[in-house]
Amino acid sequence: KQWYQRRVAITAGETISFFSRAISLGVRLGANLTAGHMIMHIIADFGAQMIASGTVGGSVGAVFCCATLVPITILEMAVACIQAYVFCMLTTMYLKDAHELH
């Protein structure tokens, strides 16, 4: 009876471990994508508010904000490529572990 309780506990722990890996991978990917989009949205909104101010300084600031979006977009594309690579590598490793260990 004691070996059965240990087996159930180990099985439950391993099941939770495998599901939490997949969930954490998805949460991390989603958080990184959301963070980049939020930064771009904040800068674009700040530029729009500067244009709406109607002043010369606001227009200059809006041009600066729009010019800043170009390198941030390039950075976002690089982050997306790195995240896709990491996602694929970790998924492959997790699936290999699940397949070989059971």
Side-chain angles (χ1 to χ4, degrees):
K1 181 166 176 142
Q2 192 175 19
W3 67 269
Y4 179 74
Q5 291 173 340
R6 288 182 187 163
R7 188 171 186 154
V8 168
I10 290 172
T11 302
E14 287 293 318
T15 303
I16 291 170
S17 170
F18 283 121
F19 280 120
S20 65
R21 285 180 180 181
I23 291 170
S24 69
L25 191 59
V27 167
R28 192 181 97 212
L29 182 65
N32 284 328
L33 292 174
T34 302
H37 282 80
M38 289 300 293
I39 289 172
M40 291 172 54
H41 178 72
I42 289 168
I43 292 173
D45 192 40
F46 188 55
Q49 291 295 323
M50 290 179 133
I51 289 174
S53 71
T55 62
V56 174
S59 298
V60 171
V63 169
F64 179 73
C65 285
C66 290
T68 330
L69 285 175
V70 174
I72 290 177
T73 302
I74 294 169
L75 179 67
E76 271 298 299
M77 290 166 50
V79 167
C81 290
I82 292 168
Q83 285 298 315
Y85 175 74
V86 169
F87 185 84
C88 289
M89 290 302 292
L90 289 176
T91 301
T92 303
M93 289 169 47
Y94 294 160
L95 288 174
K96 183 188 90 160
D97 285 347
H99 178 52
E100 287 182 358
L101 296 176
H102 293 91

